[in-house]
Amino acid sequence: MDVRERARALLAAARTRGDIRKLAPELDADPTLRQAVIEEGRRRGVAFDADVASWPSKRVLRRARGREAESRERLNPIARDEPFTCENCGREVPAHGRTARNHCPWCLCSKHVDLVPGDRASDCGGIMDPQRLELIGGHPVIHHLCRRCGAKGRVRAVLDGTSPDQAQALARLSAREPR
């Protein structure tokens, strides 16, 4: 197998961050293979800086596969504990104090403002209606559906006693047939 085929095979095998971490030492051990990976990346339309020779091999692999931007994409939640006014029922919802709350404890509605929990990156802004309740790991999880765009989401119910009606709302939701 020539060095270009090895470079293509290496890039095909580097599908996850773990794969990249395991395969990077091959580039460290073989400068010819490293250069072939860079050339294959350029052939695929990836731009490399002039200082690519000083880059760690993991970064070279990510960039050659076009995964550099993907590796910077935030996927974990951002904790935001802010009070808000429910747009569905109009009640003032206090901050939780420990974890982020994104649903009304009275009507269980939420607002479609996040792509990743807490990022406030959604442009929709529609009301998320509770659809069903599910127990996951012993915790109630509310499944929501956006009225405006139809997006689906789920969130762990915050059980803190803010609303005396919260238990009743959760019970009504759990009795509802799944949609």
Side-chain angles (χ1 to χ4, degrees), residues 5-176:
E5 290 174 8
R6 283 182 52 213
R8 283 190 211 111
L10 188 71
L11 288 173
R15 292 185 306 265
T16 66
R17 288 172 50 190
D19 292 341
I20 289 171
R21 190 172 43 251
K22 290 175 190 170
L23 296 170
E26 285 188 50
L27 292 188
D28 291 333
D30 188 348
T32 308
L33 180 59
R34 181 184 172 97
Q35 189 58 41
V37 167
I38 292 168
E39 289 171 14
E40 179 63 21
R42 286 184 176 136
R43 192 186 67 73
R44 295 177 179 191
V46 175
F48 286 96
D49 297 339
D51 65 340
V52 69
S54 66
W55 289 5
S57 295
K58 291 189 298 188
R59 185 173 177 200
V60 170
L61 280 170
R62 269 197 315 268
R63 179 67 67 92
R65 291 227 37 224
R67 296 181 59 115
E68 189 75 4
E70 182 183 319
S71 70
R72 297 190 193 301
E73 182 180 320
R74 183 173 194 112
L75 300 175
N76 56 329
I78 302 164
R80 291 189 188 263
D81 189 24
E82 305 164 334
F84 62 92
T85 302
C86 177
E87 290 193 13
N88 186 60
C89 69
R91 293 189 172 150
E92 292 295 321
V93 180
H96 183 260
R98 288 190 318 248
T99 62
R101 177 201 318 265
N102 77 339
H103 62 282
C104 174
W106 289 275
C107 68
L108 305 179
C109 285
S110 184
K111 187 172 178 181
H112 190 191
V113 293
D114 298 334
L115 298 177
V116 173
D119 69 359
R120 305 298 189 256
S122 175
D123 293 331
C124 176
I127 293 176
M128 303 278 286
D129 290 316
Q131 299 297 302
R132 65 185 177 96
L133 188 72
E134 175 182 28
L135 278 179
I136 298 178
H139 300 283
V141 174
I142 303 169
H143 290 256
H144 288 103
L145 178 67
C146 182
R147 290 181 193 171
R148 184 176 292 167
C149 71
K152 295 179 180 180
R154 64 183 196 166
V155 63
R156 185 184 290 188
V158 175
L159 306 173
D160 63 352
T162 300
S163 162
D165 303 325
Q166 185 178 43
Q168 292 173 354
L170 288 169
R172 280 193 307 272
L173 185 58
S174 68
R176 189 185 294 176

